Amino acid sequence: MSNELTAKGEDCLLQEATDKFVLKFGRQPRAAASAPGRVNLIGEHVDYCEGFVLPVALPFKTVVVGDFHNTDECNIVSVLADGQELSSSFPAPTIAELKPGPPSWINYVKGVVAHFPRTVQGFNAVVVSDVPMGSGVSSSASLEVAVFTFLEALTKHEIDLVDKALLCQKAEHEFPGVPCGVMDQYVVTLAQRHHALLIDCRSLEAVQIPMVSEDIVVLVVNSSVKHQLAGSEYPQRRAQCHAAAALLALPSLRHAAPHLLKDLEAMKCDELVLKRATHVVNEISRTEETANALRNKDFKRVGELFYQSHDSLSKLMEVSCPELDELVDILRSSAGVLGARMTGGGFGGCVVALVNKENLSGVKKKILSEYNGNPVFFECQPSDGARVISYNLQE
Ligand code: ADP
Ligand code: MG
């Protein structure tokens, strides 16, 4: 397997999806849409504390094409990056109330169809995606928002962008049953090229932060590991942060000024609760500071904040793992790396780093020779959010 992933590009994905649709359903599709994956630059384990997060959309995308047809069934075929083909059908919501059920992947589609705010009749669709699945770059939100946008094109009803992101989040809560925050669907929906998105998870306001540089690239390194711990540790971190806020009589740690950490310490609260709260309070201010540093093109400062964030996630939040720590250590000692940190929920997944363009190949070589696992690299050019693709079909 190659250690480099490059985005295929929307045109190529659209062509693949259109060809597959013609092959499967014997006619041209009439509606098409795309939605990207995402990577979070900073603001980790703070969304459930009403903090700030700063993701960017990736050039990797999910494309959905299709058309209504004359039965009450929704038939979906999904072609994965490795060529594997999945297919599943469910009754249109016009004839039956949709409920979650196997196979698990179809719930991401079914949930969106169930929450789409207009009548959806039976349709055929093909999904083609090059967003890496289960690597922490949100293939799930990419699929949900791509399906939602496809339904907008199909029904010719445009839905407000924030409503769309919130409906897709609700779909993920209720169908696959994943209690995700709002970040993924927000950035996949609202992202703009050459910008990161600063999302305030308390007010749900989102601000575009320009992110352009001639000489610096965002390198993502997939550790290619995912430890099972993630599922059980995540609710514990949530509970510990909520316990800290409750001790301070605050609705969430977002309301905690840094000096309140001293109060928490004076209360002799549980040591783990204090560590988690210290991470969250400082990570929220690091995220705001990163947005300001990006505005000022101060990438050196952004890099420093990345390292601080990683150390805090590793030592205070304790959501890193030996592989992610190893990658960040290698990056720390590589020429031309300004900063690096784990990104996503932790216990595996990806590391994100700011690297001088001229040092990029040297950095990759060093990782390939020193990392004990199988690293997969991709570059992240901040990309656009979801969009309807017009087919310009001749009638
Ligand atoms: P992530 O969102 O970080 O990639 P998740 O575990 O949240 O990881 O979501 C991955 C799941 O989403 C997959 O196991 C699969 O069920 C579903 N999924 C994502 N993209 C697709 C796709 N293109 N086709 C079918 N299922 C998909
Ligand atoms: Mg996901």
Side-chain angles (χ1 to χ4, degrees):
M1 200 184 91
S2 157
N3 290 92
E4 288 285 343
L5 272 189
T6 40
K8 289 182 174 176
E10 190 179 274
D11 290 349
C12 172
L13 295 166
L14 181 67
Q15 191 62 54
E16 263 184 57
T18 306
D19 292 348
K20 181 63 78 179
F21 189 90
V22 173
L23 194 71
K24 289 275 167 193
F25 301 108
R27 48 194 279 216
Q28 288 286 330
R30 288 191 162 263
S34 74
R38 65 99 187 97
V39 71
N40 191 23
L41 294 180
I42 194 164
E44 220 65 76
H45 279 271
V46 297
D47 57 340
Y48 49 81
C49 302
E50 300 187 307
F52 287 99
V53 293
L54 188 65
V56 294
L58 294 171
F60 297 89
K61 287 172 196 264
T62 304
V63 165
V64 182
V65 306
D67 198 4
F68 283 128
H69 65 106
N70 293 330
T71 76
D72 292 316
E73 276 226 312
C74 303
N75 304 306
I76 327 290
V77 175
S78 176
V79 185
L80 304 183
D82 61 4
Q84 194 192 337
E85 201 174 295
L86 309 171
S87 60
S88 186
S89 298
F90 54 87
T94 41
I95 59 156
E97 192 193 335
L98 297 184
K99 298 213 165 66
S104 55
W105 73 272
I106 199 64
N107 292 309
Y108 292 89
V109 178
K110 218 193 270 180
V112 170
V113 173
H115 284 90
F116 192 73
R118 300 274 183 244
T119 309
V120 179
Q121 291 157 359
F123 64 88
N124 295 324
V126 169
V127 178
V128 174
S129 180
D130 66 351
V131 181
M133 261 192 348
S135 308
V137 293
S138 210
S139 65
S140 58
S142 177
L143 176 59
E144 290 148 13
V145 177
V147 169
F148 194 103
T149 312
F150 161 73
L151 294 177
E152 289 180 278
L154 196 60
T155 60
K156 300 194 168 61
H157 279 292
E158 206 178 315
I159 311 294
D160 170 78
L161 293 179
V162 168
D163 290 347
K164 167 160 140 178
L166 294 175
L167 286 167
C168 287
Q169 181 200 20
K170 203 158 172 238
E172 184 155 341
H173 288 177
E174 291 179 10
F175 277 70
V178 180
C180 55
V182 79
M183 167 169 72
D184 297 355
Q185 291 80 5
Y186 242 65
V187 65
V188 167
T189 303
L190 297 169
Q192 285 177 10
R193 213 165 159 229
H194 302 314
H195 291 80
L197 192 70
L198 180 67
I199 305 169
D200 179 335
C201 297
R202 179 167 62 181
S203 67
L204 297 184
E205 274 166 358
V207 181
Q208 303 287 346
I209 309 291
M211 188 176 170
V212 206
S213 169
E214 300 275 292
D215 347 291
I216 288 167
V217 292
V218 179
L219 174 69
V220 182
V221 189
N222 190 345
S223 66
S224 303
V225 296
K226 188 80 218 166
H227 297 291
Q228 285 312 317
L229 269 174
S232 55
E233 296 285 323
Y234 181 81
Q236 278 183 24
R237 298 300 181 281
R238 253 185 122 112
Q240 286 158 341
C241 292
H242 292 157
L247 279 170
L248 293 168
L250 296 171
S252 73
L253 284 176
R254 168 69 182 279
H255 300 254
H259 70 85
L260 289 183
L261 290 171
K262 291 247 171 316
D263 294 3
L264 209 53
E265 207 175 340
M267 285 176 202
K268 302 219 176 318
C269 78
D270 181 85
E271 192 198 338
L272 290 182
V273 168
L274 181 62
K275 280 166 102 173
R276 308 312 186 223
T278 307
H279 166 75
V280 169
V281 169
N282 293 328
E283 182 81 354
I284 291 173
S285 36
R286 274 192 288 272
T287 307
E288 286 186 278
E289 198 188 337
T290 303
N292 284 331
L294 277 181
R295 281 190 184 104
N296 298 328
K297 295 194 177 221
D298 184 355
F299 291 101
K300 186 166 167 283
R301 182 67 188 143
V302 174
E304 289 163 4
L305 293 161
F306 272 26
Y307 283 136
Q308 286 176 18
S309 170
H310 183 80
D311 293 341
S312 175
L313 286 158
S314 181
K315 300 197 173 78
L316 298 176
M317 208 60 177
E318 297 176 285
V319 292
S320 186
C321 62
E323 294 86 352
L324 292 173
D325 288 345
E326 189 189 342
L327 281 171
V328 171
D329 283 345
I330 297 169
L331 285 156
R332 226 189 273 267
S333 63
S334 303
V337 176
L338 283 74
R341 57 179 289 278
M342 57 157 273
T343 177
F347 305 104
C350 296
V351 161
V352 64
L354 282 188
V355 182
N356 279 327
K357 218 176 224 166
E358 59 191 34
N359 298 94
L360 192 58
S361 68
V363 169
K364 288 181 192 167
K365 269 196 203 125
K366 188 166 152 72
I367 293 175
L368 280 171
S369 75
E370 294 182 15
Y371 177 53
N372 250 322
N374 176 37
V376 177
F377 305 107
F378 53 91
E379 273 174 57
C380 159
Q381 299 86 11
S383 303
D384 278 322
R387 69 178 202 114
V388 167
I389 308 171
S390 54
Y391 257 121
N392 298 324
L393 284 181
Q394 276 153 23
E395 294 296 325

